[in-house]
Amino acid sequence: MNRFFYILMLAAVLTGCSEYQKALKSEDIATKFKMGEELYNEGHYSKANRLFAQIVPNYRGKPQAEKLMYLYANSFYKMKDYYVSGYQFERFATSYPNSEKLEEASFLSAKSYYMLSPVYSKDQTETREAIEKLQDFINVYPDSEYVSEASKLVHELDFKLEKKAFEIAKQYNTISDYPASVKSFSNFIFEFPGSRLREEALFYRLDSAYKLAMNSVEMKRTIQDGIVMLKKNRLEEAKEFSEAFKETYSTSKHIEQVNKMQADIAEELKSYSAKS
């Protein structure tokens, strides 16, 4: 019985393959469309895509073109070929501005760009483009059923940019390039005021400023207003950073380290008070 069932299944598969090959070689575009749609509905997107690709030029300007172009674009999306699906959905939206599929196509186009966004450690050009596309969709369709998902995707991409900037700044701290670390963390705090990484950014900015100040030698430089003692300036900056951290995160896991750094800074600053 099992053997008979297996033979039937094999015959069905071979027949299907044979029909597909005939459709590929056929000159009848209606046959290609019909089989392509059947394969698409069965989840055989790659095969359907091959058939659609053959007949897209033939259907331009015809009533069935709208449906064909949507299926064609979505077959790329289902195949995870997001570069092409993004382009094809944009093309669909431009070609059929009155389509009932317009909103969905516009969202899937934007989501295709989201799918192309790389891990945070790589170049984030595509991430920024995806944010722009998704935000454009939200602006055009504020009441869409897809807005909630689009907003969630934007938040994910925003955090990826935050993570990228944070890790760059932290790397400067790791390699002891403290001036670059302080500057990078200050830029991060300004650019991402609501970031979930804000506490860590404030701590590592303080850590970098503290190490920079404590390791500074006594140096002077002349400026228009007189003599400026660089080590003292750095200590005072580190003190300001410690106060800013404690004001916002008084119960932080870093608070003991912050208190120790603050005490060290105060001790170093005493010498300047004595001199004055």
Side-chain angles (χ1 to χ4, degrees), residues 8-275:
L8 283 178
M9 289 296 294
L10 181 61
V13 169
L14 292 175
T15 300
C17 289
S18 176
E19 290 177 356
Y20 173 67
Q21 291 300 325
K22 287 180 180 178
L24 280 175
K25 297 175 183 178
S26 173
E27 297 295 325
D28 187 348
I29 61 174
T31 298
K32 292 178 185 290
F33 195 161
K34 183 175 182 295
M35 173 154 281
E37 187 175 1
E38 289 174 356
L39 290 167
Y40 175 93
N41 291 333
E42 292 170 1
H44 303 301
Y45 302 112
S46 180
K47 287 184 175 181
N49 181 273
R50 286 187 64 189
L51 289 168
F52 293 152
Q54 290 183 342
I55 60 176
V56 162
N58 303 96
Y59 274 92
R60 288 197 181 106
K62 295 184 178 181
Q64 305 97 319
E66 180 183 329
K67 181 178 182 179
L68 173 62
M69 290 305 297
Y70 175 83
L71 295 176
Y72 185 51
N74 207 29
S75 64
F76 282 111
Y77 184 85
K78 296 292 188 179
M79 292 160 57
K80 300 183 180 181
D81 190 343
Y82 299 117
Y83 280 107
V84 180
S85 68
Y87 167 75
Q88 289 294 344
F89 275 125
E90 282 185 343
R91 185 180 174 192
F92 176 90
T94 301
S95 301
Y96 306 101
N98 299 315
S99 172
E100 63 179 21
K101 290 286 191 179
L102 179 63
E103 184 178 309
E104 181 182 358
S106 298
F107 172 68
L108 289 175
S109 175
K111 190 173 180 180
S112 293
Y113 286 93
Y114 162 84
M115 299 300 290
L116 292 170
S117 173
V119 295
Y120 77 86
S121 57
K122 295 186 178 181
D123 179 78
Q124 294 300 302
T125 299
E126 288 166 325
T127 298
R128 293 185 179 87
E129 186 174 15
I131 290 172
E132 182 180 339
K133 297 290 185 181
L134 285 162
Q135 194 58 58
D136 285 345
F137 173 81
I138 292 169
N139 293 340
V140 174
Y141 301 101
D143 300 319
S144 170
E145 63 180 293
Y146 303 109
V147 162
S148 178
E149 184 179 355
S151 297
K152 180 182 176 182
L153 299 181
V154 169
H155 288 315
E156 287 182 22
L157 296 173
D158 279 338
F159 182 71
K160 195 177 289 188
L161 295 182
E162 292 175 24
K163 183 72 171 173
K164 173 81 171 181
F166 177 87
E167 291 297 333
I168 289 173
K170 189 176 178 182
Q171 181 63 22
Y172 285 129
N173 176 279
T174 301
I175 65 175
S176 302
D177 187 348
Y178 300 124
S181 181
V182 170
K183 182 177 180 181
S184 295
F185 275 121
S186 292
N187 289 339
F188 176 90
I189 292 162
F190 176 78
E191 292 174 13
F192 306 104
S195 173
R196 71 182 83 168
L197 297 172
R198 181 177 175 81
E199 178 181 343
E200 294 299 298
L202 285 169
F203 172 75
Y204 281 108
R205 182 179 68 167
L206 166 59
D207 182 70
S208 295
Y210 167 80
K211 290 173 180 174
L212 177 62
M214 298 300 286
N215 293 325
S216 291
V217 294
E218 208 61 70
M219 295 175 61
K220 296 183 178 181
R221 70 179 178 191
T222 302
I223 61 170
Q224 188 174 2
D225 296 328
I227 302 299
V228 177
M229 303 181 72
L230 293 182
K231 182 171 183 177
K232 181 183 178 183
N233 285 355
R234 288 170 175 169
L235 286 166
E236 289 175 340
E237 181 179 58
K239 179 184 177 182
E240 289 178 9
F241 290 162
S242 70
E243 291 170 349
F245 183 90
K246 291 179 69 174
E247 183 178 349
T248 309
Y249 300 105
S250 59
T251 59
S252 169
K253 64 181 180 181
H254 299 299
I255 201 65
E256 288 187 15
Q257 288 176 268
V258 172
N259 286 335
K260 182 183 182 305
M261 285 189 276
Q262 197 172 48
D264 290 343
I265 293 165
E267 189 64 28
E268 286 289 314
L269 285 171
K270 282 182 182 178
S271 62
Y272 293 98
S273 298
K275 291 175 185 178

